[in-house]
Amino acid sequence: MIRELSDAQRRDWLRLARTENVGAVTFDQLIARFGEAALALAALPDLARRGGRMGGVRIPSEAQAEKELADGAALGARLICACEPQFPQALAALDPPPPLIWVRGDPGLLDRQTVAIVGARVASAAGQRFARGLAAELGQSGHVIVSGLARGIDAAAHEGSLPTGTVAVLGGGIDDIYPPEHRDLYARIVAQGCVVSESEPGRTAVARDFPRRNRIIAGLSRAVVVVEAEFRSGSLITARLANEQGREVLAVPGSPLDPRAKGTNDLIRQGAAICEGAEDVLRALEGIGGFREPERTPFRHEPVEADEALRERLAELLSPTPVSRDELVRAAQAPAPAVFAALMELALAGRADLLPGGMVVKGIAP
């Protein structure tokens, strides 16, 4: 539901998003259940306790949220919450969307026709030249280029599209410039393009932040083009996420003798479109319409209760291997609303991890 937030509501939205064990899926379910972040915050301790949490759940204080807001403002950044009309339509169409993003530069670029170009950090000179030229051509055709400010292909894509519009998505905070040698490129993107981050200002990116960053890169884009990627490349994660989100995926073919082509060649083998130039991307985008926000279940004034036996049964069914919520409903032989409520309580206790796409894995409780 699109709505403007008051300062107090935005602060509570931020506090809920930064609460321990509250990821995008749990956040979305809490808002669907309680309607307001403040009501969800008040209910969190009891929900976590019912899920098996022994100690208190860590909820940021109002002062901590105000500090993050002040830190962002000092950088010239803007916080946009998922329910607000300024939130990018492409991200709002994700199920679920990230609860919020920080933005520096021109946020208007996020709602233009967008294409992501990603690839190897240790890229060949030819690969970087191709990425730079592809970004420039797509920019001249009216598209904004999205990438991750990394070395290699990402940097080349940003350089090629700076005159026409580029978006850098960071894993750390909105001020976390990595690698450090991209400080000048970062400054030029802030001045001419847009920088986006889901993390709080001042945060240095760690490994677990990059899948979230990659999900935003894919989510902002109508198509993702992979230029050079080894088998274990993070670019392949971005391509997989794009495919799951219903975006177009293209890959640049390469020599079978170059390890940097193994990932892209495998993407083509799996059905990705071949990209040999801008015309291939434009052809893939023909007929693709705008993004639509998925229907959200109205919040419930009367919450569905899950009993302890059901919660423990579900905890026993979970493992490190992702399983769908529907499969858990069948295995537990319980009503779906009760199963979903129990899974949210387990997630808040750290005993389950709710993933996009309706999947669940066993959590690592503190």
Side-chain angles (χ1 to χ4, degrees):
M1 181 175 67
I2 298 177
R3 56 190 170 123
E4 295 282 2
L5 296 178
S6 68
D7 289 344
Q9 288 174 319
R10 182 173 289 104
R11 181 191 62 212
D12 288 338
W13 192 280
L14 175 59
R15 291 178 65 206
L16 183 60
R18 299 295 187 228
T19 293
E20 180 185 19
N21 296 332
V22 175
V25 176
T26 305
F27 184 97
D28 194 59
Q29 292 182 2
L30 286 166
I31 293 297
R33 177 166 173 173
F34 295 100
E36 293 287 342
L39 297 176
L41 286 167
L44 280 178
D46 186 55
L47 292 172
R49 179 189 57 77
R50 293 213 301 259
R53 176 86 177 195
M54 300 303 294
V57 63
R58 291 193 294 272
I59 303 173
S61 66
E62 292 185 1
Q64 288 172 314
E66 292 288 0
K67 181 181 184 304
E68 178 174 341
L69 290 168
D71 289 344
L75 292 166
R78 175 183 179 186
L79 181 72
I80 308 177
C81 299
C83 65
E84 295 184 302
Q86 300 84 8
F87 197 75
Q89 293 180 9
L91 285 185
L94 298 184
D95 189 16
L100 54 83
I101 56 172
W102 280 101
V103 174
R104 285 191 74 183
D106 180 9
L109 294 175
L110 304 178
D111 277 323
R112 285 180 43 191
Q113 302 281 330
T114 48
V115 173
I117 299 177
V118 296
R121 286 175 169 81
V122 184
S124 69
Q128 292 180 61
R129 184 176 66 249
F130 181 90
R132 190 178 300 109
L134 179 66
E137 286 189 58
L138 289 173
Q140 290 163 8
S141 71
H143 291 78
V144 171
I145 302 304
V146 181
S147 199
L149 199 68
R151 295 184 178 96
I153 297 301
D154 287 20
H158 289 309
E159 290 281 5
S161 55
L162 262 172
T164 53
T166 192
V167 174
V169 184
L170 309 184
I174 197 74
D175 54 343
D176 181 35
I177 305 172
Y178 186 83
E181 61 263 29
H182 284 175
R183 188 169 299 277
D184 176 67
L185 176 58
Y186 172 93
R188 285 183 288 146
I189 294 174
V190 169
Q192 298 175 247
C194 184
V195 178
V196 175
S197 170
E198 192 179 352
S199 299
E200 60 270 27
R203 177 183 173 86
T204 300
V206 295
R208 67 175 180 272
D209 294 320
F210 290 102
R212 291 190 299 125
R213 182 215 47 180
N214 294 344
R215 185 171 187 258
I216 292 178
I217 291 175
L220 282 171
S221 308
R222 294 171 180 268
V224 171
V225 182
V226 183
V227 185
E228 296 189 341
E230 296 192 23
F231 265 132
R232 298 181 63 83
S233 168
S235 302
L236 300 185
I237 296 175
T238 306
R240 174 179 59 78
L241 292 168
N243 186 58
E244 292 173 356
Q245 295 166 5
R247 276 47 168 173
E248 294 294 319
V249 177
L250 300 94
V252 178
S255 167
L257 302 179
D258 188 344
R260 290 169 293 203
K262 289 188 179 298
T264 50
N265 289 346
D266 190 58
L267 284 175
I268 294 168
R269 193 177 298 115
Q270 294 178 41
I274 292 177
C275 177
E276 295 179 315
E279 63 278 4
D280 292 320
V281 181
L282 298 176
R283 189 180 307 114
L285 292 173
E286 288 178 359
I288 295 179
F291 296 104
R292 292 184 59 187
E293 185 176 352
E295 294 293 328
R296 305 287 180 195
T297 304
F299 69 89
R300 303 174 182 273
H301 290 284
E302 297 297 329
V304 175
E305 295 291 342
D307 59 39
E308 184 176 356
L310 176 58
R311 284 192 293 271
E312 294 309 313
R313 172 64 177 145
L314 289 168
E316 292 172 355
L317 290 169
L318 296 177
S319 76
T321 302
V323 62
S324 73
R325 294 192 307 172
D326 292 341
E327 191 170 342
L328 290 171
V329 169
R330 289 191 294 270
Q333 297 183 331
V339 169
F340 299 162
L343 287 172
M344 183 172 67
E345 293 166 3
L346 290 172
L348 290 170
R351 300 173 67 194
D353 192 2
L354 308 185
L355 307 177
M359 306 301 286
V360 188
V361 296
K362 184 179 181 66
I364 303 175

